[in-house]
Amino acid sequence: MTAERSTRDRLLDSFETLLVSDGSRAATLEAVAAHAGASKGGLLYHFHTKDELIGAMLDRLRDHAAADVERMRVAPEGPAAYYLNTSVDSGSDFDRALIATARIAQENVDAASETLDAVRADWLAVLFEHLNDRPLAQAIQLMGDGLYFNDTTGNQDPQALTSAHEILKRLGL
Amino acid sequence: MTAERSTRDRLLDSFETLLVSDGSRAATLEAVAAHAGASKGGLLYHFHTKDELIGAMLDRLRDHAAADVERMRVAPEGPAAYYLNTSVDSGSDFDRALIATARIAQENVDAASETLDAVRADWLAVLFEHLNDRPLAQAIQLMGDGLYFNDTTGNQDPQALTSAHEILKRLGL
DNA sequence: ACTACTGTACCGTCTGGACGGTACATATTC
DNA sequence: GAATATGTACCGTCCAGACGGTACAGTAGT
């Protein structure tokens, strides 16, 4: 009857947090365990290797993504606006998982790149399905990616999101 | 009368290459030296610490950026189209320096984040100066960022650039 | 008794950095 | 013009600490 997060989940949370806020270099097994208030032995009980920890992170992203695509499909403001809005909400669990995975992908981890590609393809499919206009769908995805990019490099201009919406309006959305 | 690249330059080139293709984790001093065909001692002769190596990388980016802003200002196709085109040309020296710096910035290196912000501000200024339309300027920059983001995570859809240009056309450019 | 851990000790490897040495080109002094 | 410095551009080796991973003994709750 408790909503407490399991140690396993907390370890994944910590891995995510360290990746997002300090980069892959800081996300060592010891640092992850310490951040989660667990021992290194405890971490290795749940994840036998670092690859297994990464794999669990990718599973988590896929779960979030499947749910997000559903929300996007039925969003009252439409998929395009929903997509842009959530692209800048880097506080959400989903976004954290996404950014964390992007950082892993940078170290030439194929599984991470592939997961990322799959998620992006799903998004684009929903945008295209709704708009029936490929250039527009891709441009929206590009702007969403841009909002991410800014967010993840510490550059946060609150006007950027407003500008993206304004452009959508001019394009007849 | 020779155009040979100095060891110092080659070391910086290698640092850049390792950052771009394998991430910050792979860009160790030893790996950089080995990639440049130099010894670790030789590297440390030119750059006394890793921070100094990073500093030199930021200097290089600033130099490239200043030149790029000038080219953008006088580009015959206009700053907007020039910006989008160069955003996807990740083979250029400038882009390599930019991506390398973005990776450094992810490890909470303030100097790198600040340099990146400054470069982005310069670009936006030229776009705004030319278009006199803030939302449009920002949207273009977002699409450019998106093209980068895709490029750097291994996802390279050649249609994306075409779509971005198509949207510019629809917006009256 | 089983699950879910903690804690400690350890291994082999990698890391940033310090350091001493080498080769050679260019002054400086006599 | 020979001898002696000085500076530049490196190489190779060493070190303390951190890394991913292993092993295992112990503990607390169910």
Side-chain angles (χ1 to χ4, degrees):
Chain A
M1 57 141 49
T2 161
E4 265 178 51
R5 241 162 143 57
S6 70
T7 298
R8 201 192 119 102
D9 282 340
R10 274 178 18 243
L11 285 164
L12 267 176
D13 290 347
S14 293
F15 184 39
E16 213 177 69
T17 299
L18 288 173
L19 279 170
V20 171
S21 56
D22 298 315
S24 55
R25 216 146 183 204
T28 68
L29 296 188
E30 243 169 40
V32 168
H35 187 274
S39 67
K40 191 176 168 182
L43 190 164
L44 287 160
Y45 170 77
H46 290 287
F47 309 101
H48 298 47
T49 67
K50 198 169 195 183
D51 272 358
E52 232 175 271
L53 184 61
I54 289 172
M57 191 70 238
L58 301 186
D59 289 344
R60 175 183 270 199
L61 175 63
R62 270 190 293 267
D63 286 351
H64 279 309
D68 188 68
V69 163
E70 270 324 295
R71 277 194 302 271
M72 186 170 163
R73 225 185 275 276
V74 301
E77 71 271 40
Y82 175 87
Y83 180 71
L84 287 183
N85 285 331
T86 56
S87 286
V88 85
D89 170 24
S90 66
S92 82
D93 288 351
F94 179 32
D95 278 28
R96 283 161 40 82
L98 192 68
I99 295 165
T101 303
R103 306 248 153 133
I104 296 168
Q106 287 179 4
E107 323 281 322
N108 272 344
V109 179
D110 289 349
S113 304
E114 285 159 20
T115 302
L116 228 42
D117 282 359
V119 170
R120 286 180 46 79
D122 285 350
W123 273 331
L124 187 61
V126 176
L127 285 172
F128 180 63
E129 181 187 298
H130 186 256
L131 301 166
N132 207 34
D133 179 336
R134 189 156 298 275
L136 182 57
Q138 281 196 310
I140 289 168
Q141 188 163 49
L142 283 179
M143 288 194 283
D145 291 343
L147 289 167
Y148 266 115
F149 182 77
N150 287 357
D151 242 38
T152 60
T153 50
N155 179 340
Q156 302 203 29
D157 184 348
Q159 270 191 49
L161 177 60
T162 314
S163 292
H165 278 296
E166 163 65 20
I167 293 303
L168 282 196
K169 208 177 291 171
R170 292 193 202 169
L171 288 164
L173 284 168
Chain B
M1 62 145 44
T2 161
E4 265 179 49
R5 238 163 147 54
S6 69
T7 299
R8 201 193 119 101
D9 282 340
R10 275 178 17 245
L11 286 165
L12 266 177
D13 290 347
S14 294
F15 185 39
E16 213 178 69
T17 299
L18 288 173
L19 279 171
V20 170
S21 57
D22 297 316
S24 55
R25 215 148 183 200
T28 68
L29 296 187
E30 238 169 44
V32 168
H35 187 273
S39 70
K40 196 172 167 182
L43 190 161
L44 286 161
Y45 168 77
H46 290 285
F47 310 100
H48 298 48
T49 66
K50 199 170 195 182
D51 273 356
E52 233 176 89
L53 183 62
I54 290 171
M57 191 69 239
L58 301 185
D59 288 343
R60 176 182 269 200
L61 174 63
R62 270 190 293 266
D63 286 350
H64 279 309
D68 188 69
V69 163
E70 270 324 294
R71 278 195 301 272
M72 186 170 163
R73 227 185 273 276
V74 301
E77 71 270 40
Y82 175 87
Y83 181 71
L84 287 182
N85 285 332
T86 55
S87 287
V88 86
D89 170 22
S90 65
S92 81
D93 287 351
F94 178 31
D95 279 27
R96 284 161 39 81
L98 191 68
I99 295 166
T101 303
R103 305 245 154 136
I104 295 167
Q106 287 179 4
E107 323 280 322
N108 272 343
V109 179
D110 289 349
S113 304
E114 285 158 21
T115 302
L116 228 42
D117 283 358
V119 170
R120 287 178 46 78
D122 285 349
W123 273 330
L124 187 59
V126 176
L127 286 173
F128 180 62
E129 182 187 298
H130 187 255
L131 301 167
N132 206 33
D133 179 336
R134 190 156 297 277
L136 182 56
Q138 281 196 308
I140 290 168
Q141 187 163 48
L142 283 178
M143 287 193 285
D145 291 343
L147 289 167
Y148 266 116
F149 182 78
N150 288 0
D151 242 36
T152 60
T153 50
N155 179 340
Q156 303 204 29
D157 184 349
Q159 270 191 50
L161 177 60
T162 313
S163 293
H165 278 296
E166 162 65 21
I167 293 303
L168 281 196
K169 206 176 294 171
R170 290 192 204 170
L171 289 162
L173 283 169

